[in-house]
Amino acid sequence: MTNKPPYNILFICTHNRCRSIIAEAITNTILPEKFTAYSAGSNPDGNGVHPKTIEHLKAQGYDTDSLRSKDMLEFTQPDAPVMDFIITVCDQSRGEACPVWPGQPVTAHWGMADPSTITDETEQQRAFSQVQHQFVNRIRLLDSLPIEKLDKLALTKQVKDIAEQTTIIADTE
């Protein structure tokens, strides 16, 4: 990859209400010098960010002021930032048609369960925490990659493999 940090990274989920928003907030908080994170939905439902997502992020000390639900087509406009990485975070968005992204970004899928679908409040809080921890682990692994030294094919494989590495870690806890 020829670009230098900060790298632009877009997290995509179907509705952009929960997981992609969490990934955006975490990335912009823990690695602002290396990544500028954005999130978007392939089919936002117009309901905005899930209230429990904001509540959870605020409770963990993340800045939520700039978080909003967006359509991924916003990032195909001429004045949009060019993405270095596009990561889908829900299985539904993984199989959906995506636009042709300017700059040919590295793409990967880091799927995980949607905590907003859980109705039991205690279980939902536990699920939000699990999603948060998985993203922190995955983003730290992404940070550890020698991005400037890898060609696009090797970098794509490494970024895709991150989901497998952290799934194994999460399953053993």
Side-chain angles (χ1 to χ4, degrees):
M1 181 168 283
T2 58
N3 296 342
K4 300 282 185 210
Y7 299 106
N8 290 326
I9 185 168
L10 177 62
F11 294 98
I12 298 175
C13 200
T14 302
H15 300 297
N16 191 219
R17 298 193 71 216
C18 188
R19 291 161 287 182
S20 52
I21 295 284
I22 293 170
E24 175 185 2
I26 290 171
T27 305
N28 284 332
T29 298
I30 67 175
L31 293 170
E33 67 287 342
K34 190 160 185 181
F35 296 99
T36 301
Y38 304 89
S39 68
S42 57
N43 188 19
D45 60 11
N47 292 323
V49 178
H50 193 283
K52 292 286 187 180
T53 302
I54 297 296
E55 182 181 305
H56 177 81
L57 289 169
K58 280 184 176 180
Q60 300 301 312
Y62 293 101
D63 181 16
T64 62
D65 291 343
S66 64
L67 299 177
R68 64 181 178 86
S69 183
K70 302 166 284 303
D71 190 297
M72 69 180 176
L73 295 178
E74 182 176 316
F75 294 94
T76 64
Q77 301 305 309
D79 61 340
V82 174
M83 294 300 145
D84 299 295
F85 299 90
I86 306 272
I87 299 178
T88 55
V89 297
C90 71
D91 292 337
Q92 186 175 345
S93 64
R94 178 184 197 181
E96 293 173 340
C98 283
V100 175
W101 298 104
Q104 301 178 334
V106 169
T107 61
H109 178 67
W110 292 357
M112 57 186 70
D114 183 357
S116 70
T117 62
I118 299 170
T119 55
D120 178 80
E121 194 159 328
T122 302
E123 289 300 314
Q124 186 180 56
Q125 184 58 40
R126 185 175 291 126
F128 269 103
S129 292
Q130 183 176 11
V131 166
Q132 174 195 342
H133 292 299
Q134 284 180 315
F135 275 126
V136 168
N137 289 338
R138 290 175 186 192
I139 291 162
R140 291 200 187 285
L141 285 169
L142 179 62
D143 179 43
S144 73
L145 296 178
I147 294 172
E148 294 92 4
K149 296 178 182 177
L150 296 172
D151 65 35
K152 184 174 178 184
L153 187 60
L155 182 58
T156 299
K157 182 182 180 338
Q158 297 265 343
V159 174
K160 287 179 178 181
D161 287 349
I162 287 172
E164 295 301 318
Q165 294 169 15
T166 56
T167 299
I168 293 168
I169 292 167
D171 288 345
T172 61
E173 291 180 349

